[in-house]
Amino acid sequence: MLVAKKLLLILICAVCSWFTSTQLSAQVSPGTGQGGFESNGFDFENYDIYSMLSVNGQFSLSQIPNDDPTLFTDGISNLGDALLLVSRTTTNGVRDVIVVVSGFGPFPGVPNNQSPVVAQELADLLEQEGIESQVVIIDVLWGEPNDRIDQVITDIACEYPDQQIVWIAFGQGGGFTLELEGDNNQGPFPDAGGNLPNPPNQNNPNGPPVVVGSFNGVEIVEVLDGLGVDISGSNDAGEYICDSTCYKLYRCDAEGSIDLGIFFHVPESPTPGEVSVFTSGIIEVLFGPHSDPDGDGRDNIEDSFPFDPSRN
Amino acid sequence: MTTSKRFKRQIQLALIVFTLCNLNPPVVFADGFVFQWSSSGEQLALWRKTDDSPESCEVLDVTVFELVDDGTRLRKLNTTTLLSGSKPLEVHVSPCGRFIVTMDEWTGAGVTDKALVVYDAVRKEVTSFRLEQFLDNAIIERLPRHGFLTGVKWRDWGQRPTSFDQFSISDMTFYPSSAQKVESYIAKPKSDSSKQIPFVEIDLIERAAKVVPAKSTVPIILEREIASHSKYHWSAVINSSVSAPLNLPSRLEGSADKESTVRMVFTLESVTGDYKLTKRD
């Protein structure tokens, strides 16, 4: 009975009650015994694997690296009472979240802005992960971030009313930087159209002086740093179009028109390797099994999309 | 065509169609120029760039006009040729029109030999500074990284109606930072609490810059009275109910309906270099 229990691969449909119907799905592996996973051709790469131990009638979850070779050579007998396979995709292969990835066009002194390059690379990686994304290039014009962000959000909300919206914005700056807040201040710098901001030089005359991002900035910086990205947190997005974008996104996040807004500055000449580590790190920290976007300090499956802080 | 004639023709073209509308961007001007109104709305600084491409940032010269005759004429005060290859991030014109101060460059903040440049249009003198010339190394080491450029942030004015407000015309000084912002760096540590910016005072007459104790530069009576008595903004009716300010000179007061365009045509008076308003509709 015990062996049978250990070998049982459970489709815990009840677990699905932890999620909404369109969210992550938990499935049983079609394998039926030791060493049976791989031979069945099951695609584990698309699943997060949790070992379940029964303690006094309650399950305890611990995650198993799905790229651990011993998982398949040693079999599953020592992995716990049961395995929970949490699909990283919905049944149609797409998470119920749309990630808008944005960069900027050229601006004074910068004919070739690196931010669209980074944005496209992240979008490509998201696609490989089965996460739908959309690339948006924002013109470096005063007022444009407000208009463009509103337009994109409205379009997505109309077309996909049930999907969550995550907006990851990139701007070219002095280095890899996570902007922790947006300031309601426009510096006297001409935009790409040769126009200075208009009085009262604010992103939103009726808005608060500062809007802080809702994410766990300290952890995101720590994780990316640990992955090899030379990154720091910043409270100064620069009072230019980047800051306007940052301010707008963090307001949208706070007001609920998007589910997460986050802004990164990137160096003016990053190497392809740096971009690769950075973009894959973003996916890891925001969408990976160890992500903690709700900032509760715990590594748990509730941190997977879609975010639902009420579960924590 | 000589350079002078080409310049005049460009300015003529620039101001022939002086289009103002109340959408974003609410003020649309001719290509290749940056128009900067003073906070009192009585002056206009015209930056002439090398070209009108989005990445263009090299400024050749700055011409300062004052608005006279009830807003029907832009009287030319002076033209200041900037140092060769100048790509200033900010250009500030003193309320009297005599001094121009540029700070930082698009190629780097606080790290070029034009971190601070003071132009005196009357004496035709130019003084450029590197940061090390007026900031100690200990201060430079504590400067935060610039928000979006390579380099450091050595000044922060914060919110301002326009850049003209950073001048004190009573004692001919210019303040790159506001006392409030300098103090906010101390009171509210940024991500790295060791970072601070200094309070710098620039003596325009002596063309000298030095660090001084932070002091409020706001109560500049003459400037404030000008601003408070001027009819500063046009009112644009947006969504039929909300008024929004436009960056227009005081004497051109008026209002515009949503999506309407106000077109003003100025013509060059070649002898004086002035522009005269000949049409407005």
Side-chain angles (χ1 to χ4, degrees), chain A residues 106-111 141-144 146-147 172-177 179-181 183-202 205-206 210 231-240 242 265 268, chain B residues 24-31 33-37 47 49 52-57 88-92 106 145-150 153 155-163 166 181 185 188-192 232-233 245-248:
Chain A
F107 65 95
V110 181
L141 300 172
W142 289 114
E144 182 71 5
N146 279 355
D147 294 346
Q172 182 173 312
F176 288 111
T177 310
E179 298 299 342
L180 303 173
E181 63 184 42
D183 290 341
N184 193 8
N185 189 33
Q186 299 176 334
F189 321 127
D191 63 16
N195 290 308
L196 292 163
N198 283 286
N201 292 36
Q202 289 177 295
N206 300 318
V210 173
I231 189 171
S232 58
S234 162
N235 296 83
D236 182 2
E239 301 179 354
Y240 196 44
C242 294
H265 269 115
E268 58 187 36
Chain B
N24 281 320
V27 182
V28 179
F29 293 105
D31 294 338
F33 293 89
V34 174
F35 287 71
Q36 183 178 26
W37 291 103
W47 317 4
K49 301 197 298 178
D52 63 349
S53 62
E55 63 269 26
S56 171
C57 57
L89 180 64
E90 293 185 27
V91 175
H92 301 258
W106 286 99
R145 188 163 69 179
H146 193 271
F148 65 95
L149 293 178
T150 299
K153 185 166 190 168
R155 58 195 175 77
D156 192 348
W157 183 265
Q159 199 166 313
R160 75 208 87 190
T162 77
S163 59
Q166 295 177 227
K181 269 294 182 181
Y185 271 79
K188 179 194 170 193
K190 296 286 183 176
S191 52
D192 183 346
Y232 180 20
H233 295 135
L246 293 183
N247 188 11
L248 290 176

Side-chain angles (χ1 to χ4, degrees), chain B residues 76-77 144 158 164-165 210 234 246:
Chain B
K76 179 182 173 182
L77 294 179
F164 285 73
D165 285 355
K210 61 182 178 182
W234 280 35
L246 293 183

